[in-house]
């Protein structure tokens, strides 16, 4: 998701733009326009070349990959479980040092 | 059309801008030369995602008119640059390096692109990146729509990720500076591997409006350039309050080297083990010489310990919680399977299973990390560590899932500042990467980390280091 413009305070410099639609199901253009944008872009040859390169990667079993990813997640959770946090510690949602 | 000498492609911002103002060549000549070079050599390093040649030439014509009329807009006027392909450019594809988004088009520019446009900088192309900036955790350098990032110093090696194209394009003289992003290591790693100077700003200093979100609480945008000075000049333009970025700190940045504290007044924390035993053997001589150069400059080096937290697992849990929410539609639609890296696909799917309690535990621990770093920066002004413990890995070498070559096991050594990349990102700290020598034919770099909003201090250390060394001036093929 691209970051969305906030409403702002209506100042001169903050002109509301149409909401950007980064989601796959909420694209700003039609499929036909989208295909045209890609095909007419000078990057098209680069993209097709690169897709061929990435396809050369060794295939792996998706189930094994998912199990490995879940195991990594569990290991991380177990590591955090060994940490003690004082009860009055709030999450770090502010970063304005 | 004036001929552009080869060395111009490796000029810094100030030198290049002076040549433009002296009418040695026009901005249009410069843009033609750079766009041609980017289109020709960018694919050689898989660094180019999208050329913006016509846009660059139009902008350069405007710049020439401005210069002719005496409308000078600062040192970035007429300077060619590239932006990581996670930044939106109105009306052109913004792929985020990922096949499922290959045709994505936004109707507005990212704030950083608007700001750079406002001072007359000339965008010449979008630069390649690891898909979704590495979200989910990738195992191979090939995790990108444009193929594995190839290192201009040795194309059999990786350029690093996830800002692969930004670092490679600066190193190869395809752009004068570039914009990249970091969630955890995506500026520091490619800058170290490609031997270019780069700055990861304090969280919130640079607006991320128009940038792909990977983690709302970790993402930062920052410059890659030829020197600390170049990074300071770019940061001055792209930093600042932006109501369109909820994470904006509301602060500006003014690059003021004339007011910096003398380096001899600064105290730097470091861990000797990082530069000796933990560093890969071919890199140790370069790191030792770099430390000696800093000492010669008068920097007071004091042995310091990194506060002990499980930084990697903390960062992974926070990232998992946020990326699973951000990419929910991609994952639930099944289109996540269109990504190039199997480990990344699985990582994104598994991320959705992280309990909220664990995300919040990591965020509460993060508060303690920030408090510990506040205490640490009461004792020292900066921290100095290797950018990475060694040079770039081979392009086909498996990574550890966080975009890092797995380190050699060293169980009996003290930890040093091994976790500084996730730690610095968790605490929102700025970091400056300074090329500091070679390990074989590949560059290695130092990393200088500071307290929040201490960018001018980091840049002062960088300027002093670069006044005494010339590693930042080396270029592939001519060292």
């Amino acid at each position: 998701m691209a970051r969305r413009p906030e409403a702002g305070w209506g100042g001169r410099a903050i002109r509301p733009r149409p909401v950007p639609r980064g989601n796959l199901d909420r694209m700003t253009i039609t499929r036909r326009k989208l295909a045209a944008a890609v095909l007419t872009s000078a990057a098209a040859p680069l993209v097709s070349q690169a897709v061929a390169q990435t396809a050369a990667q060794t295939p792996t079993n998706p189930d094994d990959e998912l199990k490995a990813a879940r195991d990594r997640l569990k290991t991380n959770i177990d590591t955090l479980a060994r940490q003690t946090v004082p009860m009055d510690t709030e999450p770090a949602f502010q970063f304005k040092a | 059309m004036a001929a552009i000498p080869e060395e111009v492609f490796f000029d810094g911002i100030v030198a290049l801008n002076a040549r433009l103002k002296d009418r040695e060549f026009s901005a249009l000549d410069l843009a033609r030369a750079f766009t041609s070079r980017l289109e020709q050599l960018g694919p050689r390093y898989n660094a180019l995602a999208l050329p913006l040649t016509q846009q660059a030439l139009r902008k350069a014509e405007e710049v020439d008119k401005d210069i002719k009329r005496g409308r000078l807009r600062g040192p970035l006027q007429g300077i060619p640059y590239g932006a990581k392909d996670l930044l939106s450019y109105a009306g052109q594809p913004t792929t985020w390096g990922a096949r499922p988004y290959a045709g994505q088009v936004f109707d507005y520019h990212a704030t950083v692109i608007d700001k750079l446009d406002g001072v007359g900088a000339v965008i010449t192309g979008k630069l390649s990146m690891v898909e979704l900036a590495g979200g989910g955790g990738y195992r191979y350098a090939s995790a990108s729509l444009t193929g594995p990032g190839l290192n201009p110093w040795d194309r059999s090696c990786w350029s690093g990720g996830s800002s692969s194209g930004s670092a490679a394009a600066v190193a190869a003289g395809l752009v004068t500076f570039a914009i990249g992003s970091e969630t955890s290591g995506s500026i520091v790693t490619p800058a170290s591997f490609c031997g270019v100077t780069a700055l990861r700003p304090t969280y919130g200093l640079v607006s991320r409006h128009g940038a792909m979100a990977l983690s709302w609480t970790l993402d930062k945008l920052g410059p890659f350039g030829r020197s600390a000075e170049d990074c300071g000049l770019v940061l001055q333009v792209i930093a600042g309050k932006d109501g369109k970025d909820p994470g904006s700190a509301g602060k500006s940045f003014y690059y003021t080297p004339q007011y910096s504290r003398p380096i001899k007044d600064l105290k730097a924390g470091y861990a000797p083990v990082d530069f000796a035993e933990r560093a890969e053997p071919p890199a140790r001589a370069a790191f030792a010489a770099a430390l000696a150069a800093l000492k010669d400059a008068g920097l007071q080096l004091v042995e310091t310990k990194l506060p002990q937290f499980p930084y990697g697992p903390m960062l992974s849990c926070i990232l998992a919680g946020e990326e699973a929410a951000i990419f929910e539609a991609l994952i639930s639609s099944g289109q996540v399977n269109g990504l190039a890296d199997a480990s990344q696909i699985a990582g994104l799917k598994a991320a959705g299973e992280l309990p909220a309690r664990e995300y919040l535990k990591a965020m509460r621990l993060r508060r303690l990390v920030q408090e510990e770093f506040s205490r640490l920066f009461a004792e020292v002004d900066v921290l100095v560590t290797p950018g990475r413990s060694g040079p770039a890995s081979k392009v086909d070498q498996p990574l550890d899932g966080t975009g890092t070559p797995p380190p050699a096991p060293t169980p009996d050594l003290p930890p040093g500042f091994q976790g500084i990349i996730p730690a610095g990102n968790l605490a929102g700290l700025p970091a400056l990467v300074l090329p500091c020598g070679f390990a074989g034919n590949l560059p290695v770099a130092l990393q200088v980390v500071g307290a929040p909003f201490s960018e001018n201090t980091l840049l002062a250390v960088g300027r002093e280091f670069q006044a005494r060394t010339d590693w930042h001036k080396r270029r592939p093929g001519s060292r």
Side-chain angles (χ1 to χ4, degrees), chain B residues 143-164:
Chain B
S144 173
L145 185 59
T146 40
L150 305 182
N151 196 308
W153 293 92
D154 179 346
R155 291 175 65 239
S156 72
C157 293
W158 188 34
S159 55
S162 68
S163 305
S164 319

mmCIF file of all heavy atoms in Angstrom, chain B residues 143-164:
data_model
loop_
_atom_site.group_PDB
_atom_site.id
_atom_site.type_symbol
_atom_site.label_atom_id
_atom_site.label_comp_id
_atom_site.label_asym_id
_atom_site.label_seq_id
_atom_site.Cartn_x
_atom_site.Cartn_y
_atom_site.Cartn_z
ATOM 1 N N ALA B 143 15.596 -12.224 -5.743
ATOM 2 C CA ALA B 143 14.250 -11.835 -5.310
ATOM 3 C C ALA B 143 13.920 -10.432 -5.800
ATOM 4 O O ALA B 143 13.772 -9.499 -5.004
ATOM 5 C CB ALA B 143 14.150 -11.914 -3.794
ATOM 6 N N SER B 144 13.809 -10.265 -7.101
ATOM 7 C CA SER B 144 13.509 -8.944 -7.654
ATOM 8 C C SER B 144 12.970 -9.080 -9.071
ATOM 9 O O SER B 144 13.404 -9.957 -9.821
ATOM 10 C CB SER B 144 14.778 -8.083 -7.679
ATOM 11 O OG SER B 144 14.521 -6.870 -8.354
ATOM 12 N N LEU B 145 12.078 -8.193 -9.404
ATOM 13 C CA LEU B 145 11.505 -8.170 -10.757
ATOM 14 C C LEU B 145 12.577 -7.912 -11.815
ATOM 15 O O LEU B 145 12.445 -8.324 -12.962
ATOM 16 C CB LEU B 145 10.444 -7.065 -10.798
ATOM 17 C CG LEU B 145 9.608 -6.889 -12.056
ATOM 18 C CD1 LEU B 145 8.840 -8.165 -12.388
ATOM 19 C CD2 LEU B 145 8.631 -5.737 -11.865
ATOM 20 N N THR B 146 13.617 -7.241 -11.444
ATOM 21 C CA THR B 146 14.675 -6.912 -12.408
ATOM 22 C C THR B 146 15.883 -7.832 -12.279
ATOM 23 O O THR B 146 16.947 -7.545 -12.823
ATOM 24 C CB THR B 146 15.134 -5.447 -12.221
ATOM 25 O OG1 THR B 146 15.190 -5.153 -10.835
ATOM 26 C CG2 THR B 146 14.182 -4.493 -12.892
ATOM 27 N N GLY B 147 15.739 -8.922 -11.560
ATOM 28 C CA GLY B 147 16.850 -9.855 -11.408
ATOM 29 C C GLY B 147 17.777 -9.451 -10.282
ATOM 30 O O GLY B 147 17.627 -8.384 -9.687
ATOM 31 N N PRO B 148 18.748 -10.297 -9.976
ATOM 32 C CA PRO B 148 19.636 -10.011 -8.838
ATOM 33 C C PRO B 148 20.457 -8.758 -9.076
ATOM 34 O O PRO B 148 20.987 -8.547 -10.168
ATOM 35 C CB PRO B 148 20.544 -11.246 -8.778
ATOM 36 C CG PRO B 148 20.480 -11.842 -10.144
ATOM 37 C CD PRO B 148 19.119 -11.538 -10.680
ATOM 38 N N GLY B 149 20.570 -7.915 -8.078
ATOM 39 C CA GLY B 149 21.400 -6.715 -8.191
ATOM 40 C C GLY B 149 22.867 -7.119 -8.302
ATOM 41 O O GLY B 149 23.371 -7.849 -7.455
ATOM 42 N N LEU B 150 23.534 -6.663 -9.364
ATOM 43 C CA LEU B 150 24.931 -7.053 -9.592
ATOM 44 C C LEU B 150 25.856 -5.905 -9.188
ATOM 45 O O LEU B 150 25.579 -4.736 -9.480
ATOM 46 C CB LEU B 150 25.147 -7.429 -11.062
ATOM 47 C CG LEU B 150 24.208 -8.521 -11.598
ATOM 48 C CD1 LEU B 150 24.534 -8.846 -13.045
ATOM 49 C CD2 LEU B 150 24.298 -9.786 -10.741
ATOM 50 N N ASN B 151 26.942 -6.268 -8.552
ATOM 51 C CA ASN B 151 27.839 -5.271 -7.967
ATOM 52 C C ASN B 151 28.776 -4.688 -9.029
ATOM 53 O O ASN B 151 29.467 -5.445 -9.721
ATOM 54 C CB ASN B 151 28.660 -5.946 -6.853
ATOM 55 C CG ASN B 151 29.315 -4.958 -5.940
ATOM 56 O OD1 ASN B 151 30.010 -4.050 -6.396
ATOM 57 N ND2 ASN B 151 29.088 -5.111 -4.651
ATOM 58 N N PRO B 152 28.809 -3.359 -9.181
ATOM 59 C CA PRO B 152 29.678 -2.766 -10.205
ATOM 60 C C PRO B 152 31.167 -3.082 -10.015
ATOM 61 O O PRO B 152 31.940 -2.996 -10.958
ATOM 62 C CB PRO B 152 29.435 -1.259 -10.050
ATOM 63 C CG PRO B 152 28.069 -1.168 -9.469
ATOM 64 C CD PRO B 152 27.950 -2.354 -8.551
ATOM 65 N N TRP B 153 31.550 -3.465 -8.795
ATOM 66 C CA TRP B 153 32.966 -3.810 -8.562
ATOM 67 C C TRP B 153 33.282 -5.219 -9.023
ATOM 68 O O TRP B 153 34.432 -5.553 -9.280
ATOM 69 C CB TRP B 153 33.301 -3.647 -7.078
ATOM 70 C CG TRP B 153 33.239 -2.228 -6.623
ATOM 71 C CD1 TRP B 153 32.155 -1.594 -6.096
ATOM 72 C CD2 TRP B 153 34.281 -1.257 -6.690
ATOM 73 N NE1 TRP B 153 32.464 -0.292 -5.824
ATOM 74 C CE2 TRP B 153 33.769 -0.057 -6.170
ATOM 75 C CE3 TRP B 153 35.604 -1.287 -7.122
ATOM 76 C CZ2 TRP B 153 34.522 1.105 -6.084
ATOM 77 C CZ3 TRP B 153 36.375 -0.137 -7.034
ATOM 78 C CH2 TRP B 153 35.829 1.037 -6.524
ATOM 79 N N ASP B 154 32.264 -6.047 -9.056
ATOM 80 C CA ASP B 154 32.445 -7.447 -9.471
ATOM 81 C C ASP B 154 31.051 -8.010 -9.712
ATOM 82 O O ASP B 154 30.306 -8.260 -8.768
ATOM 83 C CB ASP B 154 33.168 -8.232 -8.367
ATOM 84 C CG ASP B 154 33.364 -9.695 -8.741
ATOM 85 O OD1 ASP B 154 32.723 -10.164 -9.710
ATOM 86 O OD2 ASP B 154 34.159 -10.368 -8.056
ATOM 87 N N ARG B 155 30.740 -8.210 -10.987
ATOM 88 C CA ARG B 155 29.360 -8.588 -11.328
ATOM 89 C C ARG B 155 28.998 -10.003 -10.875
ATOM 90 O O ARG B 155 27.836 -10.391 -10.965
ATOM 91 C CB ARG B 155 29.120 -8.411 -12.821
ATOM 92 C CG ARG B 155 29.112 -6.930 -13.231
ATOM 93 C CD ARG B 155 29.001 -6.754 -14.737
ATOM 94 N NE ARG B 155 27.749 -7.226 -15.245
ATOM 95 C CZ ARG B 155 27.619 -8.185 -16.163
ATOM 96 N NH1 ARG B 155 28.673 -8.778 -16.653
ATOM 97 N NH2 ARG B 155 26.426 -8.537 -16.578
ATOM 98 N N SER B 156 29.975 -10.757 -10.386
ATOM 99 C CA SER B 156 29.616 -12.073 -9.855
ATOM 100 C C SER B 156 29.133 -11.938 -8.402
ATOM 101 O O SER B 156 28.738 -12.921 -7.789
ATOM 102 C CB SER B 156 30.813 -13.025 -9.917
ATOM 103 O OG SER B 156 31.784 -12.666 -8.952
ATOM 104 N N CYS B 157 29.196 -10.733 -7.881
ATOM 105 C CA CYS B 157 28.781 -10.499 -6.492
ATOM 106 C C CYS B 157 27.511 -9.642 -6.443
ATOM 107 O O CYS B 157 27.174 -8.930 -7.384
ATOM 108 C CB CYS B 157 29.899 -9.807 -5.710
ATOM 109 S SG CYS B 157 31.335 -10.861 -5.507
ATOM 110 N N TRP B 158 26.853 -9.715 -5.317
ATOM 111 C CA TRP B 158 25.573 -9.021 -5.102
ATOM 112 C C TRP B 158 25.831 -7.547 -4.799
ATOM 113 O O TRP B 158 26.844 -7.193 -4.192
ATOM 114 C CB TRP B 158 24.876 -9.688 -3.921
ATOM 115 C CG TRP B 158 23.466 -9.257 -3.654
ATOM 116 C CD1 TRP B 158 22.517 -8.883 -4.561
ATOM 117 C CD2 TRP B 158 22.846 -9.186 -2.365
ATOM 118 N NE1 TRP B 158 21.349 -8.582 -3.916
ATOM 119 C CE2 TRP B 158 21.521 -8.762 -2.579
ATOM 120 C CE3 TRP B 158 23.275 -9.443 -1.068
ATOM 121 C CZ2 TRP B 158 20.617 -8.587 -1.524
ATOM 122 C CZ3 TRP B 158 22.373 -9.273 -0.020
ATOM 123 C CH2 TRP B 158 21.062 -8.854 -0.252
ATOM 124 N N SER B 159 24.900 -6.707 -5.214
ATOM 125 C CA SER B 159 25.018 -5.283 -4.869
ATOM 126 C C SER B 159 24.398 -4.984 -3.505
ATOM 127 O O SER B 159 24.496 -3.858 -3.020
ATOM 128 C CB SER B 159 24.351 -4.413 -5.947
ATOM 129 O OG SER B 159 23.013 -4.799 -6.136
ATOM 130 N N GLY B 160 23.776 -5.995 -2.890
ATOM 131 C CA GLY B 160 23.137 -5.768 -1.585
ATOM 132 C C GLY B 160 21.683 -5.370 -1.767
ATOM 133 O O GLY B 160 21.251 -4.983 -2.852
ATOM 134 N N GLY B 161 20.920 -5.467 -0.680
ATOM 135 C CA GLY B 161 19.507 -5.133 -0.792
ATOM 136 C C GLY B 161 18.996 -4.488 0.477
ATOM 137 O O GLY B 161 19.675 -4.475 1.485
ATOM 138 N N SER B 162 17.834 -3.873 0.384
ATOM 139 C CA SER B 162 16.956 -3.952 -0.769
ATOM 140 C C SER B 162 17.116 -2.780 -1.749
ATOM 141 O O SER B 162 16.580 -2.849 -2.838
ATOM 142 C CB SER B 162 15.494 -4.013 -0.309
ATOM 143 O OG SER B 162 15.122 -2.773 0.284
ATOM 144 N N SER B 163 17.897 -1.758 -1.397
ATOM 145 C CA SER B 163 18.068 -0.624 -2.319
ATOM 146 C C SER B 163 19.206 -0.937 -3.298
ATOM 147 O O SER B 163 20.165 -0.165 -3.432
ATOM 148 C CB SER B 163 18.358 0.654 -1.542
ATOM 149 O OG SER B 163 17.367 0.909 -0.579
ATOM 150 N N SER B 164 19.099 -2.071 -3.979
ATOM 151 C CA SER B 164 20.182 -2.587 -4.818
ATOM 152 C C SER B 164 20.556 -1.612 -5.924
ATOM 153 O O SER B 164 21.729 -1.295 -6.130
ATOM 154 C CB SER B 164 19.762 -3.915 -5.452
ATOM 155 O OG SER B 164 19.079 -4.721 -4.545
#
